[in-house]
């Protein structure tokens, strides 16, 4: 074929990344249709009420809660990228709290049960979770220990005579904590054993002694429920141990990697969505006789934002590719989480600025994106912890 004389830039091409296939794109379309038709219209209402449990049931019915989970538990058996597609498309719900609640269920609760659980535990909790009949939450953070996971105080004491463990302690900021049927709970079983003294448990939330104390109010993510939980002499059978006794710290550090990567993908998608909405606004809103997007200063804001979003996206996709191909790239996951969280907040902030007064008004929903996104720099490991992990990975 002859080379054309004039090669023009192609700004309109789809730019599908190499990790995605036609099947991923079909999946994307079907999730997108569902999100726009069934979730987005309720976003305002759910900011007031939190989203209903029926969202899990409906997503389970559609097969969206087990996209990358094994077929034997009712999942679709897809690859890791299907999970990224879900995280990206859920951003169109315009309901950050919902995205977080679903991610806690699919990408924080299920993975450790699938990775470390017994067959019985998988059948008991993962299979109904994929159907959307049981809801999962994850309990790491405590009132006195968040970043410092090793500083948690929740104790599980073995009672060999009864074949049980007795759990006492408290957890805070627990997403889905009010609605969940089971919690993946991080405890200390041997306070003198350092990192080898932690054990995970699967604790049914209706077990005697589990107290859902308070529904916590927060800056953003209003559609999610966030709980303060107490565990008062909660007795669970030995079969409730998840994974190996004494290896809970390592188990949960592994879990956090998947959680951070999915969170990063969600942050990039949220940033892209607020960018797109703001672009529309900049092409409609007029000042001084022209569309505001035609002022060079505004045009450059878009250029800066687009470049930030694209760099974060490439980092997330490349890291996801490494993760999905058997590597355990903790440094790059930390970088992706850090960078995506930061740029999402920066983009949301700039989008408020471009909207002017409208950006500050609730009815436009732009300020909400900023409030929701702000969590990304704190949850699942703060910016400072990500920086420390990256720095330490160089032997510092
Ligand atoms: C809306 C929401 C939902 C959440 N959902 C869940 C959930 O479902 N399950 C769960 O277990 N947790 C959840 N969390 C908790 C979240 O993961 C923690 O808030 C987070 O890890 C930070 O812990 P912290 O709040 O105790 O802050 P702290 O650890 O007290 O940190 C306070 C400040 O000190 C800094 N800091 C701490 N240590 C260091 C260090 N070594 N070097 C430098 N700086 C440091 C931090 O970066 C931060 O700026 C949620 C939090 C929120 C806000």
């Amino acid at each position: 074929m002859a080379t054309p004389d004039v090669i023009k830039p192609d700004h309109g091409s789809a730019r599908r990344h190499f990790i995605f296939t036609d099947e991923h794109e079909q999946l994307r379309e079907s999730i997108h249709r569902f999100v726009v038709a069934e979730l987005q219209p309720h976003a305002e209402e759910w900011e007031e009420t939190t989203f209903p449990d029926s969202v899990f049931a409906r997503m389970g019915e559609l097969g969206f809660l087990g996209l990358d989970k094994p077929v034997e538990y009712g999942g679709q058996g897809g690859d890791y990228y299907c999970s990224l597609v879900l995280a990206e498309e859920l951003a169109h719900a315009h309901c950050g709290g919902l995205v977080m609640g679903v991610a806690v269920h699919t990408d924080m609760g299920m993975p450790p049960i699938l990775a470390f659980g017994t067959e019985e535990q998988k059948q008991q909790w993962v299979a109904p979770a994929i159907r959307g009949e049981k809801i999962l939450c994850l309990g790491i953070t405590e009132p006195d220990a968040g970043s410092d996971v090793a500083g948690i105080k929740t104790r599980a004491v073995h009672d060999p005579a009864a074949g049980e463990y007795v759990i006492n302690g408290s957890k805070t900021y627990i997403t889905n904590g009010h609605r969940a049927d089971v919690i993946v709970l991080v405890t200390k079983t041997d306070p003198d054993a350092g990192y080898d003294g932690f054990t995970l448990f699967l604790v049914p939330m209706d077990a005697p002694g589990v107290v859902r104390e308070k529904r916590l109010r927060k800056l953003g993510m209003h559609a999610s429920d966030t709980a303060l939980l107490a565990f008062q002499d909660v007795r669970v059978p030995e079969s409730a141990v998840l994974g190996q006794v004494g290896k809970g710290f390592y188990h949960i550090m592994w879990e956090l990697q998947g959680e951070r990567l999915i969170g990063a993908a969600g942050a990039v998608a949220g940033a892209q969505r607020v960018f797109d909405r703001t672009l529309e606004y900049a092409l409609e809103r007029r000042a001084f006789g022209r569309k505001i997007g035609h002022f060079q200063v505004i045009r450059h804001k878009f250029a800066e934002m687009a470049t930030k979003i694209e760099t974060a996206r490439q980092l997330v996709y490349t890291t996801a590719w490494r993760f999905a191909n058997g590597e355990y790239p903790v440094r790059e996951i930390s970088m992706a989480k850090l960078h995506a969280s930061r740029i999402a907040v920066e983009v949301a902030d700039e989008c408020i600025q471009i909207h002017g007064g409208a950006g500050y008004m609730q009815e436009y929903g732009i300020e909400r994106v900023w409030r929701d996104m702000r969590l990304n720099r704190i949850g699942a490991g703060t910016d400072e912890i990500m920086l420390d992990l990256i720095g330490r990975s160089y032997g510092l």
Side-chain angles (χ1 to χ4, degrees):
M1 205 171 85
T3 310
D5 293 338
V6 179
I7 305 174
K8 292 191 174 173
D10 180 7
H11 300 306
S13 71
R15 286 196 175 70
R16 187 167 89 190
H17 194 270
F18 69 80
I19 63 171
F20 296 120
T21 62
D22 287 347
E23 284 74 36
H24 291 120
E25 294 314 306
Q26 284 156 14
L27 175 67
R28 186 184 296 286
E29 272 173 37
S30 74
I31 298 175
H32 188 85
R33 274 197 303 274
F34 158 72
V35 168
V36 171
E38 299 189 36
L39 302 180
Q40 203 187 78
H42 303 286
E44 299 303 322
E45 174 196 340
W46 294 344
E47 281 294 290
E48 305 295 327
T49 60
T50 71
F51 73 91
D53 295 354
S54 58
V55 168
F56 286 102
R58 179 69 179 136
M59 288 186 69
E61 189 184 6
L62 294 169
F64 294 158
L65 297 178
L67 293 171
D68 62 339
K69 308 294 185 283
V71 179
E72 55 264 44
Y73 307 111
Q76 311 297 306
D79 57 20
Y80 184 68
Y81 310 133
C82 297
S83 219
L84 291 186
V85 171
L86 179 69
E88 291 181 344
E89 290 313 308
L90 280 178
H92 294 273
H94 193 41
C95 193
L98 180 146
V99 179
M100 180 166 73
V102 171
V104 165
H105 181 77
T106 54
D107 290 277
M108 290 169 64
M110 284 190 219
I113 311 178
L114 282 167
F116 311 116
T118 61
E119 184 56 30
E120 199 187 346
Q121 289 171 333
K122 293 176 198 176
Q123 293 294 353
Q124 186 182 1
W125 298 116
V126 176
I130 288 175
R131 292 195 298 271
E133 293 164 7
K134 299 267 186 226
I135 299 171
L136 312 181
C137 68
L138 175 73
I140 307 173
T141 309
E142 300 185 355
D144 292 325
S147 305
D148 181 13
V149 176
I152 64 157
K153 295 200 182 85
T154 295
R155 278 280 273 132
V157 178
H158 198 192
D159 178 354
E164 292 177 335
Y165 282 84
V166 186
I167 301 173
N168 278 287
S170 66
K171 296 286 171 184
T172 194
Y173 311 147
I174 305 306
T175 304
N176 294 346
H178 287 279
R179 62 172 98 230
D181 297 286
V182 67
I183 184 166
V184 175
L185 189 70
V186 185
T187 73
K188 241 179 206 171
T189 35
D190 184 352
D192 300 323
Y195 293 126
D196 293 316
F198 295 80
T199 303
L200 305 186
F201 287 87
L202 286 167
V203 181
M205 292 293 281
D206 58 1
V210 177
V211 185
R212 305 183 207 231
E213 284 197 330
K214 211 161 63 170
R215 203 173 272 276
L216 301 167
R217 300 180 66 201
K218 45 199 190 294
L219 174 72
M221 298 288 193
H222 288 168
S224 67
D225 86 65
T226 309
L228 172 63
L229 304 173
F231 298 83
Q232 298 167 352
D233 289 325
V234 179
R235 287 190 162 265
V236 291
E238 287 162 348
S239 61
V241 169
L242 175 61
Q244 283 184 52
V245 172
K247 298 296 173 214
F249 187 82
Y250 307 102
H251 293 340
I252 212 62
M253 287 300 135
W254 171 85
E255 180 283 326
L256 280 168
Q257 303 311 316
E259 175 183 340
R260 286 173 184 159
L261 199 46
I262 283 296
V268 173
Q272 182 67 58
R273 182 159 155 71
V274 72
F275 175 98
D276 291 343
R277 293 175 62 195
T278 306
L279 185 59
E280 273 176 34
Y281 186 80
L283 291 170
E284 280 168 13
R285 177 75 179 174
R286 299 180 75 87
F288 297 94
R290 65 170 87 163
K291 293 171 181 171
I292 59 166
H294 290 173
F295 291 114
Q296 188 184 45
V297 70
I298 302 282
R299 186 159 62 235
H300 286 192
K301 284 182 193 291
F302 279 102
E304 294 280 8
M305 290 192 293
T307 307
K308 285 177 182 175
I309 294 170
E310 194 57 28
T311 53
R313 181 184 287 123
Q314 298 295 334
L315 182 54
V316 169
Y317 285 171
T318 308
T319 306
W321 180 83
R322 297 179 64 178
F323 196 50
N325 282 284
E327 291 182 38
Y328 191 43
V330 172
R331 178 196 292 160
E332 287 73 18
I333 290 174
S334 308
M335 289 174 171
K337 199 287 188 179
L338 172 75
H339 186 55
S341 304
R342 280 178 166 174
I343 68 101
V345 176
E346 288 165 15
V347 167
D349 186 69
E350 200 68 297
C351 288
I352 293 177
Q353 194 66 23
I354 294 170
H355 273 81
Y360 204 76
M361 296 296 132
Q362 284 188 356
E363 65 174 294
Y364 285 82
I366 302 296
E367 53 81 44
R368 189 207 302 171
V369 179
W370 182 88
R371 288 189 285 107
D372 289 353
M373 289 291 180
R374 192 60 186 80
L375 175 63
N376 288 295
R377 295 187 50 205
I378 298 169
T382 62
D383 284 7
E384 293 75 17
I385 294 300
M386 294 306 104
L387 286 167
D388 214 47
L389 281 168
I390 298 163
R392 282 171 191 271
S393 76
Y394 291 99
L396 299 170

